[in-house]
Amino acid sequence: MEKNYRQIIENGKTALGIEFGSTRIKAVLVDEDNVPIASGSHDWENRLENGIWTYTLEDIWTGVQDCYVKMAEDVRAKYGVTVKTLGAIGFSAMMHGYMVFDKAGELLVPFRTWRNNNAAPAAEQLTQLFNYHIPARWSVAHLYQAILNGEEHVKDIDFQTTLEGYVHWKLTGRKVIGIGEASGMFPIAAGTRCYNPAMLKQFDELIAPYGLPFKVEDILPEILVAGEEAGRLTEEGAKLLDPSGNLQPGIPFCPPEGDAGTGMVATNSVAPRTGNVSAGTSVFAMIVLEKELSRPYDEIDLVTTPVGDPVGMVHCNNCTSDLNGWVNLFDEFAKLAGVEIAKPDLYNMLYFCSEKGDKDCGGLLAYNYVSNEHITKVDAGRPMFVRTSESNFSLANFMRAHLFASLGVLKVGCDIMLKEEGVRLDAITGHGGLFKTERVGQSYLAAAINAPVTVMKTAGEGGAWGIAILANYVVTKEPGESLQDYLNNKVFAGQEGVTLAPDPADVAGFEEFAKRYVKGLPIVREAVKDM
């Protein structure tokens, strides 16, 4: 039976997810079955001010309002109806960063995004103190760095949150955060849904000499898990989100979550022994663990799923940028030769060509470091292509080496979990630009991690869809229905996807390439010094 979308929208049998990405704010409206029925987006760009990557509050609110208006216009154009209510709303954003407010609710310093690496000294000290890996982009690292710097504003902090936590607070009046994002603000105690009490105490003792008027737990948002109602849209919030005044207050919200959590939901990767790899400009893998790792690793961030299960995250700064640079070079050559090739066709041509190369790339070696990589301890961007006089230098091997290199750092990090820690992985889902060409990037990822890789058609909907699903889960789940069951039965049942098992010859070839890759890292580190 065909759905009456006009009626569905009028009756508020919908959920809205809005995600703040680094370059785009996206809104996705879904029906009760989590099928996207309308969308809107707003492009924005972070700015470098006084050495800090930031967005202003005006950027945030004009951006989210424009995004909402475009979604509402899309609804009107498609279904001839004005959005006045919704079943549920959820907000998501790029991970962590630093937003701090005083007692009056005023922002004390410009928002510091995850891109800022200026909290690295604080992160290092906290890692040693907690014996737990704290990345420089985590909120607690930013807080401690501000304390170390003697920044004037710190004494006035009443509340610290993240971008989506801030927007949620302004729309609902509630200072809460989803557990996945909370785990990147301050470490979560294993097996609980709480900030780690021993580490809270250690942090308070560490900052005691500064005489600050707060304990860290008092300024952090309250933790909620997926499925819990996280407040309702207030009258002020409704006007803030929809300046037209059409949207009515009282709509329930799900806990605000980070883009890592929404990525897990959008790829059905919340169950232990599953994971997902997002491969575009940067690349990261999230693997849901059955138990905590035996010790901390600098290469692995420990976060959680939106329901609080432990996740090992390998986050690499570089993936396809250098590869894209080479494709552009071939594009230039084609034009020079008087041949016009559409970009998607050129990518396909070159990627498919790589499949004809030697399994180990014929002895060729590439590093895709357009920017630094903490996992392989390379401090600045130095993309390189290296070969010996004996290497089999062909176009197929050249492309294969660069495709392997786009997953090189990821493999180094994942090997720690899969080989050293014995983490078991039944299935992983790939999403992002690397997988646009059919099977190639997918089969190389399967070879790198020696596990089946699935690419779904819906993965392209991304995090805004993921947070819309989490919003819908609050209002449409059955009593006692877990998020995992909800995703399996209500969202992904019957979804089209292609799964590729690892080819043993490709696995062996990638292992050979990886040995050469690790052995050659001193070459790149030397280039950082000498170039």
Side-chain angles (χ1 to χ4, degrees):
M1 193 176 83
E2 199 168 313
K3 292 178 181 176
N4 181 343
Y5 280 119
R6 186 187 175 99
Q7 202 174 358
I8 287 167
I9 294 158
E10 282 180 335
N11 294 340
K13 300 291 186 187
T14 54
L16 175 65
I18 297 182
E19 181 158 278
F20 292 82
S22 294
T23 57
R24 191 168 63 139
I25 305 170
K26 186 174 180 188
V28 171
L29 186 71
V30 300
D31 66 12
E32 280 188 302
D33 300 318
N34 296 291
V35 175
I37 58 174
S39 64
S41 69
H42 171 86
D43 291 335
W44 71 338
E45 204 52 68
N46 55 187
R47 42 183 101 192
L48 190 62
E49 289 181 357
N50 303 317
I52 296 288
W53 289 106
T54 189
Y55 303 87
T56 66
L57 294 186
E58 191 185 354
D59 292 337
I60 294 166
W61 291 112
T62 55
V64 76
Q65 286 169 354
D66 183 49
C67 187
Y68 179 87
V69 164
K70 285 176 177 161
M71 179 281 301
E73 283 171 355
D74 191 33
V75 167
R76 204 172 291 116
K78 283 178 176 164
Y79 313 110
V81 62
T82 299
V83 178
K84 291 183 179 172
T85 188
L86 300 156
I89 304 178
F91 278 88
S92 171
M94 58 192 106
M95 54 188 89
H96 328 320
Y98 186 70
M99 291 191 94
V100 286
F101 301 85
D102 64 15
K103 277 190 167 59
E106 296 297 320
L107 185 69
L108 288 165
V109 286
F111 167 37
R112 297 171 185 177
T113 77
W114 67 275
R115 281 190 72 180
N116 293 294
N117 203 36
N118 56 317
E124 210 169 293
Q125 285 188 41
L126 292 173
T127 296
Q128 287 175 353
L129 176 72
F130 296 154
N131 191 29
Y132 187 100
H133 178 52
I134 304 291
R137 65 179 183 276
W138 280 22
S139 304
V140 68
H142 281 287
L143 174 63
Y144 186 46
Q145 191 64 55
I147 294 169
L148 289 177
N149 294 347
E151 294 186 43
E152 185 63 26
H153 77 272
V154 175
K155 68 180 184 333
D156 298 319
I157 296 174
D158 182 64
F159 178 46
Q160 175 173 10
T161 190
T162 63
L163 175 53
E164 73 274 23
Y166 161 69
V167 172
H168 181 99
W169 167 41
K170 289 298 173 189
L171 297 179
T172 66
R174 290 197 61 189
K175 297 176 177 179
V176 298
I177 199 79
I179 191 166
E181 181 73 324
S183 66
M185 291 193 74
F186 196 94
I188 303 291
T192 75
R193 304 291 184 260
C194 309
Y195 298 115
N196 188 302
M199 293 180 193
L200 288 170
K201 188 167 180 285
Q202 284 176 300
F203 189 82
D204 286 332
E205 286 167 359
L206 178 68
I207 65 170
Y210 295 91
L212 296 166
F214 58 79
K215 283 191 156 55
V216 65
E217 190 173 17
D218 298 336
I219 65 169
L220 290 170
E222 177 194 347
I223 296 174
L224 297 176
V225 297
E228 291 186 281
E229 189 184 301
R232 292 190 170 234
L233 186 65
T234 61
E235 280 191 38
E236 300 81 9
K239 291 189 186 90
L240 202 46
L241 183 57
D242 178 16
S244 74
N246 290 320
L247 190 64
Q248 299 304 300
I251 299 163
F253 276 62
C254 69
E257 263 299 352
D259 54 2
T262 57
M264 287 184 243
V265 171
T267 54
N268 196 14
S269 316
V270 299
R273 297 173 65 156
T274 68
N276 74 89
V277 169
S278 172
T281 308
S282 63
V283 60
F284 61 84
M286 316 279 297
I287 297 174
V288 187
L289 309 172
E290 293 176 286
K291 61 181 194 303
E292 297 282 322
L293 301 179
S294 66
R295 66 177 184 84
Y297 294 90
D298 282 346
E299 299 88 348
I300 299 165
D301 302 349
L302 288 173
V303 291
T304 78
T305 68
V307 294
D309 290 327
V311 173
M313 179 181 191
V314 178
H315 187 278
C316 318
N317 291 338
N318 300 281
C319 185
T320 57
S321 294
D322 187 44
L323 192 55
N324 295 342
W326 285 106
V327 173
N328 288 337
L329 195 75
F330 288 120
D331 186 39
E332 273 189 61
F333 172 72
K335 287 188 171 80
L336 195 64
V339 180
E340 199 66 48
I341 307 171
K343 261 300 173 52
D345 295 340
L346 184 60
Y347 271 97
N348 288 345
M349 204 183 287
L350 291 166
Y351 279 33
F352 289 138
C353 173
S354 75
E355 294 180 310
K356 301 186 179 106
D358 298 320
K359 295 296 182 187
D360 73 338
C361 310
L364 306 184
L365 185 54
Y367 294 97
N368 63 334
Y369 301 165
V370 173
S371 65
N372 66 307
E373 277 298 353
H374 75 282
I375 289 176
T376 48
K377 296 177 175 58
V378 174
D379 296 332
R382 296 291 184 275
M384 295 180 78
F385 171 67
V386 188
R387 64 189 174 103
T388 67
S389 47
E390 290 80 40
S391 302
N392 183 7
F393 188 37
S394 67
L395 180 60
N397 279 335
F398 179 84
M399 285 310 301
R400 193 178 182 93
H402 280 90
L403 280 155
F404 276 24
S406 68
L407 299 167
V409 187
L410 189 80
K411 179 166 174 60
V412 172
C414 286
D415 276 357
I416 292 169
M417 283 194 275
L418 301 175
K419 293 180 179 176
E420 292 181 36
E421 287 283 335
V423 168
R424 290 183 293 181
L425 184 59
D426 295 336
I428 204 149
T429 303
H431 53 117
L434 184 68
F435 306 108
K436 276 186 180 166
T437 295
E438 187 189 349
R439 104 180 152 257
V440 181
Q442 186 180 1
S443 66
Y444 294 164
L445 175 60
I449 58 173
N450 196 13
V453 174
T454 301
V455 173
M456 287 188 217
K457 289 194 172 169
T458 49
E461 296 288 352
W465 184 55
I467 193 69
I469 293 168
L470 286 172
N472 234 349
Y473 177 56
V474 172
V475 293
T476 63
K477 69 180 186 300
E478 307 292 330
E481 186 176 28
S482 71
L483 179 61
Q484 187 182 329
D485 287 344
Y486 182 83
L487 292 175
N488 286 336
N489 303 330
K490 306 258 178 76
V491 183
F492 290 96
Q495 284 282 4
E496 283 184 67
V498 177
T499 303
L500 289 181
D503 177 294
D506 281 343
V507 173
F510 211 125
E511 287 299 329
E512 279 305 306
F513 175 84
K515 281 181 205 160
R516 193 183 318 129
Y517 184 90
V518 171
K519 203 174 173 188
L521 282 166
I523 307 167
V524 199
R525 294 180 194 130
E526 201 56 44
V528 173
K529 288 185 218 162
D530 297 341
M531 282 177 74

